[in-house]
Amino acid sequence: MSDIEKQQHQYNDHNGNANGNNGVPSASNTLTNMPGQHGPWPIGAGPGGQYPYTLGANALQQQLYQGGLINLRKFANPAPLGLLSFASTTLILSLINVSTNGVDTPNVVVGMTLFVGGLVQLLAGMWEFAAGNTLGATAFSSYGGFWLSFGTIYIPASGILDAYTGAAASQLDNALGFYLAVWFIFTFIMFIASLRSNMGLILLFFFLDLTFMFLTISKFVPNVNIAKAGGGFGIIAAFIAFYCGAANMLTYESSFFMLPLAPIPERKAE
């Protein structure tokens, strides 16, 4: 049994499942005041207690972040770190994909892919695992791995591009197409998984999936306009990720204003 599961059992024993959802993920990603060990534990950003959380945390997990569980210290929310790291790296690569100011060589993004989009986002994913947030952990960890693997392709010492020289040169585009197609499929799964979260996250995965789709097609059907379309959708996805990251970081307690994420209404009990 994980630490979070143990704490959930302790929480339920002390509070008689008073939160009403027994740890079931909040489909709307909005959280209300819940009873805590020493009386009502405020969860939320203001009147009504709504706290927009991008990557599917339930009420119990949010208490973990805010230090409301028994004998646990406060956890920071790793979502802004993961989202902003993803957004920064995606924006740079997408600007190159649309040949902004004539720049179409992607090597400048290698450092970002390895350390910001890769390492930092992977760490955010690990922290989401610690908080018991499966959706956030899967997304951040996987896309962190994507950026690390993408950057490795352009490192000469990896020998990846050197393997596609000479007689194998014609195989490179198809090989990259296979690589991108896998991430198109993965992102589609993440899009489906996000449909009960909020519009910010749904739109992020939707446009990111379009990005991978067009970039994949551009490798099998060489056409600069198709590749640029992928870059254009990547720019849109990057700015949505910037917005979602900011929305998670600008809380009621730490900011003068908040950004809405348009949560999806909860499913009615049958």
Side-chain angles (χ1 to χ4, degrees):
M1 181 181 293
S2 69
D3 290 339
I4 290 177
E5 289 174 325
K6 292 177 182 177
Q7 292 294 339
Q8 181 171 348
H9 283 291
Q10 294 176 17
Y11 176 82
N12 291 338
D13 291 342
H14 278 259
N15 296 281
N17 294 324
N19 60 346
N21 68 357
N22 195 24
V24 176
S26 174
S28 66
N29 285 14
T30 57
L31 302 162
T32 57
N33 289 343
M34 294 169 45
Q37 184 180 11
H38 304 294
W41 183 265
I43 295 214
Q50 292 192 334
Y51 186 103
Y53 184 71
T54 301
L55 292 172
N58 61 40
L60 181 70
Q61 292 160 356
Q62 191 62 43
Q63 277 211 326
L64 177 60
Y65 286 130
Q66 293 185 315
L69 291 180
I70 303 168
N71 299 324
L72 285 182
R73 63 178 175 81
K74 179 180 179 180
F75 274 33
N77 182 357
L81 177 64
L83 287 163
L84 296 176
S85 299
F86 175 83
S88 301
T89 311
T90 301
L91 180 60
I92 294 175
L93 181 60
S94 297
L95 289 173
I96 294 172
N97 283 336
V98 299
S99 300
T100 305
N101 286 345
V103 178
D104 56 11
T105 303
N107 297 64
V108 72
V109 81
V110 170
M112 288 286 291
T113 63
L114 295 179
F115 295 103
V116 181
L119 178 60
V120 172
Q121 196 174 181
L122 179 61
L123 290 173
M126 295 300 102
W127 289 320
E128 290 280 20
F129 272 117
N133 187 3
T134 303
L135 180 61
T138 303
F140 290 146
S141 301
S142 298
Y143 288 117
F146 163 75
W147 285 119
L148 287 168
S149 66
F150 183 83
T152 302
I153 294 174
Y154 292 94
I155 297 176
S158 71
I160 295 175
L161 293 180
D162 289 341
Y164 293 96
T165 57
S170 61
Q171 301 178 25
L172 179 59
D173 279 345
N174 285 332
L176 290 174
F178 299 153
Y179 173 81
L180 292 169
V182 168
W183 287 102
F184 164 73
I185 296 171
F186 174 82
T187 304
F188 181 75
I189 295 173
M190 298 304 295
F191 169 69
I192 297 299
S194 71
L195 291 178
R196 297 295 301 181
S197 59
N198 59 69
M199 286 305 300
L201 189 59
I202 293 170
L203 289 174
L204 171 57
F205 284 121
F206 176 75
F207 282 104
L208 183 59
D209 209 29
L210 289 179
T211 300
F212 279 117
M213 182 183 73
F214 279 98
L215 292 178
T216 299
I217 294 173
S218 72
K219 297 302 178 182
F220 294 120
V221 183
N223 186 312
V224 66
N225 291 326
I226 296 177
K228 286 185 176 181
F233 284 118
I235 292 173
I236 296 174
F239 278 107
I240 294 174
F242 275 125
Y243 179 90
C244 290
N248 275 261
M249 191 162 54
L250 302 177
T251 65
Y252 181 80
E253 295 80 10
S254 65
S255 175
F256 291 106
F257 65 94
M258 297 180 65
L259 298 174
L261 285 169
I264 303 301
E266 292 184 8
R267 181 182 299 171
K268 295 182 179 179
E270 297 179 358

